[in-house]
Amino acid sequence: MPPVLILTRRIAQLLVGLFLYGFAIAMMVRAGIGVSPWDVLSQGVSLQTGIAFGWVTNIIGVVVLLLWIPIRQKPGIGTLLNVLLIGPSAEVGLAVLPAQHVLWQQVLLFAGGLALLAVATGLYIGARFGPGPRDGLMTGIHRRWGWRLWIVRTSIEVVVLGIGWLLGGNVGIGTVAFALLIGPMVNVTIPLLRVPTTPVPAADPAPVQIGEPR
């Protein structure tokens, strides 16, 4: 694939992935059975301040991005667009999706949102324009001080979840499902959707010698 087409694919993946990521968050919020730890925090802050959920998501993204400064983590264009676009796309989803109150509909909507979020993560991370602010905070702390990734991630998300819950965010079975399933799901989608770093030339067929089996 020519370099210009690779770049076009990367940009398209990034933008589509970020929009779908926000929309997937809205699906899980409307399901009403619990959301991810960071979204629990956004819900709690939104409830306490009256600021719309999507804008709170943006604000928290900016705050997290500022925490990159002491750990010397450098953002990419994908990081900045993550901060800017996920909140508005979540607001679009919240505007068009009604809240669900029947259990099977809640489970179905949450499962669809979780699956869409895994695909969206593969798209935007696979575009190779830099991690989101929250993932970058985790990897930056790991690189800066050498703490194990799972310890850093677990510690951050437990603190975030606790604060969000105290502020009134929705913690439920969906929160547990997210914690258990999102890792294995993105472990499939990220390699599958990763854009190649360089064009791979087509291999020339090996010459066939006389008498050589074909």
Side-chain angles (χ1 to χ4, degrees), residues 36-41 60 63-65 67-68 71 73 132-143 145 147-165:
S36 75
W38 283 101
D39 294 326
V40 172
L41 178 61
I60 290 175
V63 172
V64 173
L65 196 56
L67 295 177
W68 285 29
I71 59 176
Q73 180 87 327
R134 297 155 185 81
D135 289 333
L137 178 65
M138 173 188 66
T139 56
I141 291 173
H142 163 70
R143 186 173 59 252
W145 288 294
W147 300 345
R148 293 185 179 181
L149 275 174
W150 72 268
I151 294 177
V152 177
R153 176 165 189 156
T154 301
S155 300
I156 291 173
E157 295 203 348
V158 166
V159 170
V160 165
L161 180 63
I163 295 172
W165 177 70

Side-chain angles (χ1 to χ4, degrees), residues 59-144:
I59 293 168
I60 290 175
V62 171
V63 172
V64 173
L65 196 56
L66 292 175
L67 295 177
W68 285 29
I69 297 173
I71 59 176
R72 302 173 188 174
Q73 180 87 327
K74 294 181 180 179
I77 185 65
T79 310
L80 301 176
L81 289 177
N82 182 298
V83 172
L84 294 174
L85 298 182
I86 286 181
S89 64
E91 282 298 306
V92 170
L94 292 172
V96 301
L97 295 170
Q100 301 299 318
H101 304 288
V102 179
L103 182 58
W104 72 266
Q105 294 174 339
Q106 292 176 292
V107 171
L108 190 62
L109 185 60
F110 181 89
L114 184 61
L116 182 61
L117 188 135
V119 172
T121 301
L123 286 170
Y124 98 79
I125 290 182
R128 298 186 291 105
F129 280 114
R134 297 155 185 81
D135 289 333
L137 178 65
M138 173 188 66
T139 56
I141 291 173
H142 163 70
R143 186 173 59 252
R144 184 78 172 84

